[in-house]
Amino acid sequence: MADVSIEATPDVEIPPDEIPEAVPGTSRVIEANGVRLHVVEAGPEDGKLLVLLHGFPEFWYGWHETIGPLASAGYRVVVPDQRGYNLSEKPPAVADYRIDELARDVLGVIDAYGRDRAAVAGHDWGAAVGWWLAIHHADRLSEFVAVNVPHPTVFERAIRDSWSQRLKSWYMLAFQLPKLPEAVASAGDWRIAVRSMRRTSNPGTFDEEDFRRYRRAWDRDGAFEAMVNWYRAIVRDRPEPETSRVTVPTLVIWGAGDQFLEKRLAGRSVDRCADGRLLTIDDATHWV
């Protein structure tokens, strides 16, 4: 087990309203894999550990509506701000955001709670990290839930062979430019970032309070650059998984109205799983 700890870290200022009153949970800072990660935890301490991983451009708050029901069901729910996001540490180099490092962060979270294994659910980039864990660290996961991001081999082949998917993923190349994505996204009080989330979601998915919280997270010093560095690292590193087969019991949840990813990628991802199931939600978007 890694040398990790759970502690209140004095140089991380946690706003008093970080967790909405309607959401059960406590903020902590975990030191794992050499970085400080802010987490929200809820549920019985002896409950089954369930780690929820957010995507881009969210932070732990992307799971805020699910924490209460899962904690009430008896899970020990832990929701980190992944490295670079919101209140977590923001290493400066693009190489600090390679997928292997991101996966080791989650292993550090599991270690910090004194567990050998955990169930992991991830949305968007969180699902990408989860797939990597399920492939390379299957002994540490009891189950895996992937929400609207495909298996890495399936996505790589889609980018290589499908012009439709290339067009949907145009922003990944745009994010390779230095400084410009950060400047464009933040202009006009994050007008373009907010507009994109509204345009690609069902009406009412996000309200003004949600966007107040997202703007605050994006505004943190170095945060949006770190968030974009996830995309820069994956394109520069182009990692290939050791195997394409997933042995961890896996549920793929897919909003059929996803404007970023082709629906067929969901079924092809399940085909890579020894024990996989697909739940398609026809009236949902990428923001399930």
Side-chain angles (χ1 to χ4, degrees):
M1 187 171 291
D3 181 17
V4 293
S5 61
I6 299 178
E7 59 181 17
T9 305
D11 59 347
V12 177
E13 183 178 348
I14 300 175
D17 68 339
E18 180 64 21
I19 302 176
E21 290 185 5
V23 178
T26 303
S27 277
R28 290 185 184 268
V29 172
I30 295 174
E31 186 173 345
N33 191 30
V35 295
R36 296 186 305 278
L37 300 178
H38 167 255
V39 304
V40 172
E41 58 183 26
E45 292 187 9
D46 60 351
K48 182 175 182 175
L49 185 61
L50 172 58
V51 181
L52 305 178
L53 303 176
H54 65 80
F56 175 94
E58 300 178 283
F59 60 110
W60 78 263
Y61 182 78
W63 291 99
H64 77 279
E65 292 184 349
T66 65
I67 293 173
L70 289 168
S72 295
Y75 289 98
R76 181 59 166 171
V77 182
V78 175
V79 195
D81 286 328
Q82 297 200 77
R83 70 163 63 194
Y85 282 81
N86 193 36
L87 296 170
S88 287
E89 191 171 348
K90 302 162 183 65
V94 170
D96 293 323
Y97 299 90
R98 291 176 297 187
I99 193 72
D100 282 330
E101 288 297 329
L102 305 175
R104 280 194 285 267
D105 288 351
V106 182
L107 297 179
V109 171
I110 297 171
D111 287 342
Y113 283 84
R115 309 297 182 91
D116 294 323
R117 305 171 79 205
V120 170
H123 171 248
D124 188 79
W125 258 112
V129 175
W131 282 113
W132 203 257
L133 285 164
I135 292 169
H136 296 95
H137 303 280
D139 60 318
R140 305 300 306 276
L141 269 61
S142 56
E143 296 93 11
F144 171 49
V145 179
V147 186
N148 276 79
V149 152
H151 183 291
T153 302
V154 171
F155 183 64
E156 176 66 24
R157 291 188 177 181
I159 288 291
R160 186 182 65 209
D161 300 335
S162 169
W163 272 107
S164 173
Q165 185 56 58
R166 289 179 199 169
L167 290 172
K168 289 176 181 290
S169 301
W170 66 269
Y171 61 92
M172 295 182 67
L173 290 179
F175 281 174
Q176 303 309 306
L177 298 170
K179 305 297 181 184
L180 185 62
E182 295 91 325
V184 171
S186 61
D189 194 24
W190 304 98
R191 182 177 61 252
I192 289 178
V194 169
R195 182 186 302 164
S196 175
M197 291 178 73
R198 282 195 172 122
R199 179 180 57 81
T200 57
S201 62
N202 288 331
T205 299
F206 304 105
D207 61 22
E208 288 307 314
E209 172 61 12
D210 296 331
F211 284 124
R212 181 189 73 82
R213 290 178 174 274
Y214 282 118
R215 287 186 181 99
R216 182 171 70 177
W218 300 335
D219 263 334
R220 299 196 188 284
D221 188 31
F224 207 80
E225 180 180 5
M227 293 158 59
V228 174
N229 279 345
W230 284 51
Y231 289 94
R232 292 172 177 143
I234 202 74
V235 169
R236 296 180 192 183
D237 196 36
R238 298 186 67 83
E240 293 186 10
E242 293 176 357
T243 177
S244 65
R245 197 67 173 157
V246 175
T247 59
V248 176
T250 298
L251 171 64
V252 176
I253 298 176
W254 204 270
D258 193 322
Q259 296 186 34
F260 305 105
L261 294 159
E262 296 178 338
K263 181 180 176 180
R264 63 190 177 91
L265 304 183
R268 293 183 179 183
S269 296
V270 172
D271 290 342
R272 299 279 178 171
C273 302
D275 181 6
R277 292 188 298 124
L278 172 61
L279 172 62
T280 302
I281 305 175
D282 291 332
D283 60 352
T285 69
H286 181 75
W287 315 99
V288 176

